[in-house]
Amino acid sequence: MSAVDGMLTDMAGRICSPVFVGRAEELKTLTAAFRAAASGQPSMVIVAGEAGVGKSRLLEELTDSVTADGARVLLGGALELGAEGLPYAPFTAALRTLVREVGADAVRALVPDATELGRLLPELGPGSRHDEIGSARGQLFEEFLLLLERLGEQAPLVLVLEDLHWADRSTRELLVFVIRSLRTARVLLLATYRSDDLHRRHPLRPLLAELPRIPHVERMELERLNRRDVAAQAAGILGHDPNLQLVDTLMDRAEGNPLFVEALLGCSDQAQCDITDSLRDLLLRGVERLPEPAGQVLRVAAAAGNRVDYRLLAAVCDMPESTQAEGLRAAVESNVLISDENTLRFRHALIQEAIHDELLPGERITLHRRYAEALEENPSLIGEGRVQIEIAHHWYAAHAADRALPAAWTAAAAAERSYAYAEQLALLERVLALWEQVPDAIDVDHVTLLRTAGTAAYLSGNPTRAAAYATSGLAEVNPDAEPLRAAELYLLRGRSRQQLSRLDQGEDYYSAADLVAGQPEGPLTAQVHARLANLQFLIGANEASGRSARHALELADRLGLPAVASDALITLASRDAQRGDIESALTRFAEAERIGSSVGATEQLLRCAINHTDVLNLAGRYEEAIEVARAGIARARAAGLHRTLGAFIGNNLSESLISLGRWDEAEAVLTEALAQSPAPNTEGFLVGQRAILLLGRGRVELAAGIVERGLSIRDPNDPITQNRASRAQLDTRIALAHGTPAEALDRVTPLLLETDPPLASRHAWTLLVLAAQACAELRLQAVAMHRLDQVARVEDLLVELRARADQASVDTPTAAASRQMFLAECGRATGEPGYAAWDRTAEMYGEFHQPYEQAYALFRAGEAALAAGDRETAQCRLAAARVKSAALRAVLTAEIDGLAQRGRLSIVGQAQPAPTDPRAAYRSATGLTEREMEVLSLLAAGRTNRQIGEALFISPKTASVHVSNILAKLGVDSRTAAAALAHQMRLFEGSEAS
């Protein structure tokens, strides 16, 4: 942001991210501070963070926004010129910006009696020639303060001072004077500094300790980006979603530093993300200034990795103890190394890598060999549990293949015991890479190694690689000679492809079943039938699923295989629930969990949590489901399966929270689960839940976009019923939100009416409700447009839908509520008067504490009562609906307010009166400002940016900024889509713009 930002100079030519990610809360804080300042309460926010973490980008986002709203922004930054720097450099730079904008005469006119401002900028005058006991300096401070106050009178002022870690003493003192002296001026001060540049004796530290004691001063520390934000940043730079491996690489190497992400993506080989020369210069700049003992220690420490124990470093360092202590002290005080009790770690992994890359080849090999030998001689030099992994790493880096391969195999086994599956996979891949050099180093054949690597890949959340290893293993196995080995590989590939939502997953399971059929029944036979039972249940082959599960359970009992028994019981429990026998299902789940817990069958226990929460949701027992899900997520995290099974449990947890109206909690759960980059099948469900939330809050285009991206990774011919039903449901909801009920019916009816055998009732009822809702909307459109053919289509479809509903069982409380909603929608679709059906629907959903469905039913009840002329009942129902909808910040609130306004009803919630204008509710739901609502009204009327600017007395550029903000907040990608959304919500009916 600052023209004098040394880092940006060093990093010239890097790829800059076109998207702003990961700082929404921080931007809200800055925006709130600006609003306080604009109202006459001066404020200051100090933004801290390491180099490259995004301080300048955050301030840019704020200043761009406030500039569009008419604020004035002045920018200044300190210069890297030593301990005392250039006096007043940030303030001088800010004044120079002002003079360029308005001219020196205009600045002097604001403070006509000023005599000392010329000390900051010669263009403003020569300044006085004397300084009696500091009086001139005090006068300078007063004049600068007055200038800020006068500027604030013209428009809200934002003064940005960057890089305070380089600021001189005079700058710091003027800053303290200004913030202490401002009282009612419309001024916001923003300052940044690099926290990693502050050593213990840095002169900025006393100021940082003093400023927070001053009222209206806030300090903000920017953390590194999380995985999801890094993926979003990479997607913005690349123009497409990055693959899982690239995100892994960026997280490992950039560690969430956005500047480093940009730099790494600028390298020629993005798969490797090598350090560019400019990035290496930046990383080593601070290191090169250190005394030689520190450089020696850092070179030895860099060979250990990003973290090293004191005792291990001392054992490897070949230097006097006093020299080593001197070097360590300098490295720690400069923040290159950070001391954590008994260990040292590099402030950033890329610094360690850059130093390591600077080692000469012979020096590097020698250091790694010394580390390996030291650890083999004394394993207690580092914490228990990582010795084997560290030894394997150092022998590999020392190019000693004969020592590295067996060490990696041993370390992989240790990683598996610690549930560190990603680390296990990396070690096994190292074994595979070294295999040709020393094939007899371990007593394991190549196929076993491939299967083990595939299993580790599956458990670490990388099903694509797991399937590839299984396929490679199958290419080396003769099924006729070794049927059981081939069956193991088919089973692994089938499970991996199931995570990838691949249509051919079933073929692998059946191939495995065929191979074990002719062999003596053993543990593998039981495992194959248990997995086959699960697949058959998912694709709707219920009878076959029952036979396979019972056979697996019988074999498990006979052969003593508790994990397989648990797996089979889970499938049988899920079948019980599908038939409506909830209590039997819960009994089986309890038994499956008891058996799985007795042997620590983690994968089965997590699958049990998935299916158990699903059944509890089906029964409307959402609080119980939440309890089971949270326990399952904790177990998944402890077992290293949070990216796989843990993420799927998160999907079920979000479903419970959404049902109970705890939408913000659900959003947090979904954000965390999606940040894990789960497998495509799981990601599809998580995206679906997030889309439902977005639709509930009116973010239609954003919901449609993520559904299209999320579900595109699934096989469109996926045989799994719940996957197909999920896609049909989301497509139908989006079409309804777009106001195209005919398209909605095209999406939902094929699966609902043409599937043979028919969908299970749990999926059928969801789609039946949506289909009936689409019929009701289509009939309203058809009647308004006198389309008798469409009216006839609705009538014919309702006959088919009711016939399908008669086939669907009502065997759970939620199914009964869905049936009631379906009947009420059918009544709306046929124009039947009365609101009793809607009242009954609201009552039933109230029993489950589902506020959104209850609010929707009350809204429809009010609509029906108003149509019947019963204004008192309409007012009562709409008021109750609004209280529930507004608490969710649902877009339904705007519809409720719109109906009340058209019916001239005054609806009052329990806590606040309903606004007479539905735009107020829409503003609350979307976060649009009043000015943005004005721009949206003109945009909806088809005005160009220039016409909008003329109407509102703003520039076309400012109008363009407002339009961009509106598109972002509404989650749409075009002016046309924003206008369509405004018309759909009837926001500006009767206004001059429309």
Side-chain angles (χ1 to χ4, degrees), residues 57 134 137 335 337 369 452 531 664 871 940:
R57 182 62 182 273
R137 183 172 182 271
N335 278 331
L337 287 178
R369 177 176 287 275
T452 307
R531 298 307 307 168
D664 291 339
R871 296 177 58 79

Side-chain angles (χ1 to χ4, degrees), residues 118-310:
R119 292 178 182 268
L120 296 181
L121 193 66
E123 291 94 318
L124 299 180
S128 66
R129 298 183 179 180
H130 64 278
D131 183 3
E132 298 179 1
I133 318 177
S135 62
R137 183 172 182 271
Q139 182 69 19
L140 168 64
F141 282 20
E142 291 287 354
E143 290 173 3
F144 186 79
L145 174 66
L146 181 60
L147 175 62
L148 295 182
E149 292 174 339
R150 295 284 171 81
L151 289 170
E153 291 172 1
Q154 294 181 341
L157 173 67
V158 179
L159 176 59
V160 180
L161 307 173
E162 288 217 85
D163 301 323
L164 284 187
H165 52 281
W166 290 331
D168 63 288
R169 179 176 177 179
S170 297
T171 295
R172 297 193 298 270
E173 291 175 347
L174 176 53
L175 176 60
V176 172
F177 172 81
V178 168
I179 193 59
R180 282 191 179 278
S181 303
L182 285 170
R183 290 290 182 266
T184 59
R186 296 195 298 168
V187 177
L188 171 64
L189 295 176
L190 298 176
T192 70
Y193 72 90
R194 293 187 195 169
S195 53
D196 48 318
D197 271 12
L198 263 62
H199 52 75
R200 283 183 295 179
R201 294 184 297 277
H202 196 287
L204 185 60
R205 285 193 179 277
L207 173 63
L208 295 176
E210 177 183 359
L211 284 178
R213 301 191 186 101
I214 303 174
H216 314 301
V217 175
E218 187 171 358
R219 186 171 169 183
M220 174 192 299
E221 182 83 26
L222 288 193
E223 303 294 336
R224 296 172 182 176
L225 300 180
N226 61 29
R227 181 186 179 84
R228 186 179 184 189
D229 292 334
V230 167
Q233 182 188 8
I237 292 171
L238 299 174
H240 59 81
D241 289 335
N243 60 47
L244 177 65
Q245 288 73 27
L246 178 56
V247 177
D248 285 341
T249 301
L250 290 173
M251 283 303 297
D252 288 343
R253 293 168 61 69
E255 294 183 312
N257 184 299
L259 180 71
F260 295 168
V261 171
E262 292 174 351
L264 292 173
L265 286 173
C267 73
S268 57
D269 184 357
Q270 288 183 348
Q272 296 296 323
C273 287
D274 293 328
I275 297 178
T276 60
D277 290 340
S278 57
L279 177 56
R280 179 177 290 104
D281 292 342
L282 172 66
L283 293 168
L284 295 177
R285 185 174 59 184
V287 175
E288 291 168 350
R289 299 171 180 166
L290 296 175
E292 179 53 26
Q296 293 178 20
V297 169
L298 287 171
R299 286 193 290 274
V300 177
N306 194 38
R307 184 184 296 269
V308 60
D309 288 65
Y310 278 108

